[in-house]
């Protein structure tokens, strides 16, 4: 297809049927979304073809020359009306999709996923070898069409950590040295102040602000949750506690060499431990074998996503005095592996049940919605005699829970007991599954010492 023919398609898209029935309008929107993805896949294929053409016949030295690749990226950027920096990223994405992740490329070409989700998959597997990146591509292929942006990134990160935990930990150690605070303008004379922090500190900061907002809302403060969190952040930063001073420089600050050789479990750098004095609930979901060091299955840090097993164990072991460490048993279905119940005829979910739903669902269960969970919702409505239990519960964001109450919307639990199908007023449906929890192989025969640790840590 020539560029002239492609230009004709742009004109043809202006002739969409605006007077169609509602169902047809939704179907047209859906097909146009598929076309956008297919266009992105075509751009990737054309980009790789252009790179091959421009590098054909070059010597090894010329291929290593950064100027050659900058020139190629800049030409792609002009074609896509983008910056030269992003042009280089477009080239990298195209190469990874065409040469290393064929299943992801086919999903993009068929309109199953968006270009951004393909970008997330490539980004989260950047530290892997070509073989391991291909393994991620194969494993995620059946699930690509059912995951939102955050779920896609977290699923890819989890598998990457499982395949090459040492590389992910080393990458984390390097990233800690990049922690910083930045500011950039926002619309309407506002500003974005962004902090790039180690995961334990980032989750702790956000959880503390969330807890403050929850307290303010419960006591009748008229400000919104976002306003409460923003105001408290400014207050805590601009009104430090008496005697507060600068922190002690870490190895990342002083430029000391990174000597991590896979023994990251022994590293107690305060930049990736739970901050002292934190009295919040940071939920860390991991298998017993991962906790005891017999497996490197990644753990899940609620509110963030998967983290390497070594870092998860360090968070548990290096928690400072005053930070309580709890082990709460969560039970999985032996066939599906999904969380089905936990330790511990009502109208509202208990705190423990809410915490279970948050740990299981991680983000809003509405298909492709990655918003944080705010409400514990009945799948089958309580006023339709839906029970208040884990099996009939799901985590939703505030917006999706209110949308569900609008006329014509319905949610139904699938026959497998884990999937939830959402039906829109037009009759269109979408199904979501909770993300799989960490999973380790069954324990082999264990020594009496290990059995004692199990008895101590996970009492019957």
């Amino acid at each position: 297809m020539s560029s002239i023919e492609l230009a004709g398609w742009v004109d043809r898209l202006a002739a969409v049927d605006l007077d169609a029935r509602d169902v047809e309008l939704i179907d047209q929107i859906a097909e146009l979304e598929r076309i956008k993805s297919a266009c992105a896949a075509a751009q990737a294929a054309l980009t790789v073809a252009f790179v091959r053409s421009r590098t054909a016949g070059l010597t090894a030295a010329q291929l290593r020359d950064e100027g050659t690749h900058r020139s190629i990226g800049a030409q792609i950027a002009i074609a896509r009306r983008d910056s030269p920096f992003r042009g280089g990223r477009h080239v990298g994405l195209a190469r990874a999709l065409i040469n290393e992740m064929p299943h992801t490329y086919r999903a993009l070409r068929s309109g199953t996923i968006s270009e951004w989700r393909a970008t997330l998959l490539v980004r989260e597997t950047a530290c892997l070898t070509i073989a391991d990146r291909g393994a991620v591509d194969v494993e995620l292929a059946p699930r690509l069409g059912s995951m939102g942006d955050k779920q896609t990134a977290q699923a890819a990160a989890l598998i990457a950590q499982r395949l090459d935990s040492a590389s992910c930990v080393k990458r984390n150690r390097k990233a800690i040295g990049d922690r910083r605070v930045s500011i950039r303008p926002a619309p309407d004379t506002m500003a974005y102040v962004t902090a790039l922090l180690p995961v334990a500190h980032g989750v702790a900061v956000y959880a503390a602000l969330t807890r403050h907002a929850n307290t303010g809302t419960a006591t009748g403060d008229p400000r919104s949750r976002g306003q409460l969190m923003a105001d408290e952040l400014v207050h805590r930063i601009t009104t430090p506690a008496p005697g507060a001073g600068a922190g002690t420089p870490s190895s990342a600050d002083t430029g000391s060499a990174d000597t991590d050789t896979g023994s990251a479990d022994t590293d107690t750098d305060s930049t990736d431990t739970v901050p002292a004095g934190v009295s919040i609930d940071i939920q860390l979901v991991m298998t017993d074998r991962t906790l005891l060091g017999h497996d490197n299955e990644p753990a899940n840090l609620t509110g963030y996503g998967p983290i390497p097993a070594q870092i998860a164990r360090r968070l548990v072991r290096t928690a400072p005095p005053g930070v309580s460490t709890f082990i709460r048993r969560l039970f999985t279905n032996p066939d599906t592996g999904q969380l089905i119940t936990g330790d511990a005829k009502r109208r509202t979910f208990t705190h423990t049940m809410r915490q279970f739903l948050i740990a299981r669902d991680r983000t809003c269960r509405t298909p492709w919605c990655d918003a944080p969970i705010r409400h514990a919702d009945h799948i089958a409505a309580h006023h339709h005699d839906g029970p208040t239990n884990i099996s009939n519960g799901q985590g939703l964001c505030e917006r999706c829970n209110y949308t569900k109450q609008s006329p014509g919307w319905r949610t139904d639990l699938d026959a497998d007991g884990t999937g939830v199908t959402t039906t829109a007023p037009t009759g269109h449906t979408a199904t979501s599954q909770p993300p799989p929890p960490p999973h380790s192989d069954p324990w082999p025969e264990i020594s009496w010492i290990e059995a004692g640790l199990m008895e101590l840590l996970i009492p019957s």
Side-chain angles (χ1 to χ4, degrees), residues 139-219:
E139 184 169 341
L140 286 182
R143 299 164 50 197
L144 289 178
S146 62
M147 298 187 295
D149 293 346
K150 185 180 292 185
Q151 289 177 319
T152 298
Q154 291 184 355
L158 186 148
I159 302 172
Q161 292 166 15
R162 183 190 301 149
L163 292 174
D164 193 351
S165 181
S167 292
C168 293
V169 171
K170 184 173 291 187
R171 190 179 177 187
N172 169 260
R173 301 303 303 151
K174 181 180 181 299
I176 286 176
D178 295 331
R179 61 191 185 277
R180 60 186 180 274
V181 177
S182 59
I183 185 170
R184 58 191 175 92
D188 304 319
T189 323
M190 301 288 281
Y192 295 107
V193 177
T194 304
L196 180 65
L197 302 171
V199 61
H201 291 187
V203 172
V205 167
Y206 189 80
L209 294 175
T210 299
R211 182 178 183 180
H212 171 79
N214 291 340
T215 301
T217 300
T219 55

Side-chain angles (χ1 to χ4, degrees), residues 26-97:
I26 292 295
D27 287 339
Q28 288 187 65
I29 293 171
E31 291 306 315
L32 287 170
E33 190 65 28
R34 290 185 62 211
I35 290 173
K36 286 164 57 179
S37 297
C39 287
Q43 283 182 317
L46 292 167
T47 297
V48 170
F50 179 76
V51 172
R52 289 173 180 166
S53 174
R54 301 301 293 180
T55 56
L58 296 183
T59 65
Q62 289 173 322
L63 287 173
R64 290 193 298 269
D65 181 23
E66 291 186 5
T68 299
H69 299 286
R70 280 199 299 267
S71 175
I72 292 173
Q75 293 176 77
I76 297 298
I78 290 174
R80 298 190 61 163
R81 295 178 174 87
D82 220 333
S83 69
F85 173 77
R86 290 183 63 86
R89 295 182 63 178
H90 291 316
V91 172
L93 173 64
R95 281 176 158 172
L97 290 174

Side-chain angles (χ1 to χ4, degrees), residues 281-292 312-313 315-317 323-331 342-344 352 443 452-460:
D281 181 18
I282 297 180
Q283 293 196 72
L284 188 64
V285 182
M286 68 174 83
T287 69
D288 51 358
R289 294 193 67 188
T290 293
L291 175 63
L292 297 179
R313 286 191 287 268
L315 287 176
V316 172
R317 186 175 57 251
V323 176
S324 299
T325 302
F326 298 94
I327 295 178
R328 179 180 296 160
R329 293 175 295 181
L330 303 176
F331 301 99
D343 288 334
T352 301
W443 280 92
L453 284 173
M454 291 283 290
E455 185 68 24
L456 174 65
L457 292 171
I458 309 177
S460 58

Side-chain angles (χ1 to χ4, degrees), residues 128-402:
L128 301 181
T129 63
I130 293 177
D132 283 344
R133 175 176 265 178
V136 176
D137 185 47
V138 170
E139 184 169 341
L140 286 182
R143 299 164 50 197
L144 289 178
S146 62
M147 298 187 295
D149 293 346
K150 185 180 292 185
Q151 289 177 319
T152 298
Q154 291 184 355
L158 186 148
I159 302 172
Q161 292 166 15
R162 183 190 301 149
L163 292 174
D164 193 351
S165 181
S167 292
C168 293
V169 171
K170 184 173 291 187
R171 190 179 177 187
N172 169 260
R173 301 303 303 151
K174 181 180 181 299
I176 286 176
D178 295 331
R179 61 191 185 277
R180 60 186 180 274
V181 177
S182 59
I183 185 170
R184 58 191 175 92
D188 304 319
T189 323
M190 301 288 281
Y192 295 107
V193 177
T194 304
L196 180 65
L197 302 171
V199 61
H201 291 187
V203 172
V205 167
Y206 189 80
L209 294 175
T210 299
R211 182 178 183 180
H212 171 79
N214 291 340
T215 301
T217 300
T219 55
D221 195 304
R223 290 173 292 177
S224 68
R225 289 175 53 85
Q227 291 171 342
L228 285 164
M229 294 172 72
D231 293 348
E232 181 66 9
L233 175 64
V234 173
H235 173 73
R236 294 194 187 192
I237 296 299
T238 58
T239 313
T248 302
S250 68
S251 60
D253 297 315
T254 58
S256 60
D258 183 359
T259 57
D260 183 6
T261 58
S263 59
D265 283 5
T266 62
D267 190 341
T268 57
D269 185 348
S270 64
T271 54
D272 55 0
T273 59
V274 180
V278 171
S279 58
I280 56 178
D281 181 18
I282 297 180
Q283 293 196 72
L284 188 64
V285 182
M286 68 174 83
T287 69
D288 51 358
R289 294 193 67 188
T290 293
L291 175 63
L292 297 179
H294 289 264
D295 194 5
N296 281 329
E297 170 70 14
N300 183 72
L301 183 59
T302 301
Y304 174 79
I307 61 175
Q310 294 95 318
I311 295 177
R313 286 191 287 268
R314 186 161 61 235
L315 287 176
V316 172
R317 186 175 57 251
T318 62
V323 176
S324 299
T325 302
F326 298 94
I327 295 178
R328 179 180 296 160
R329 293 175 295 181
L330 303 176
F331 301 99
T332 61
N333 183 308
D335 296 322
T336 65
Q338 293 293 350
L339 294 174
I340 53 176
T341 189
D343 288 334
K345 193 171 179 176
R346 302 171 57 92
R347 172 64 180 87
T348 58
F349 292 90
T350 65
H351 173 74
T352 301
M353 294 167 75
R354 286 176 53 86
Q355 295 302 99
F356 176 90
L357 294 177
I358 293 172
R360 184 195 68 185
D361 295 341
R362 305 183 196 172
T363 60
C364 176
R365 278 292 295 278
T366 299
W368 306 296
C369 179
D370 290 326
I373 293 173
R374 299 295 184 210
H375 293 176
D377 174 64
H378 294 74
I379 298 172
H382 184 267
H383 59 269
H384 289 157
D385 298 324
T388 305
N389 56 33
I390 293 295
S391 298
N392 190 46
Q394 64 176 345
L396 293 181
C397 68
E398 188 173 1
R399 181 188 184 96
C400 287
N401 194 23
Y402 293 148

Side-chain angles (χ1 to χ4, degrees), residues 1 5-17 28 32:
M1 184 180 296
E5 291 175 306
L6 289 173
W9 278 100
V10 176
D11 295 331
R12 290 188 61 184
L13 288 175
V16 293
D17 186 2
Q28 288 187 65
L32 287 170

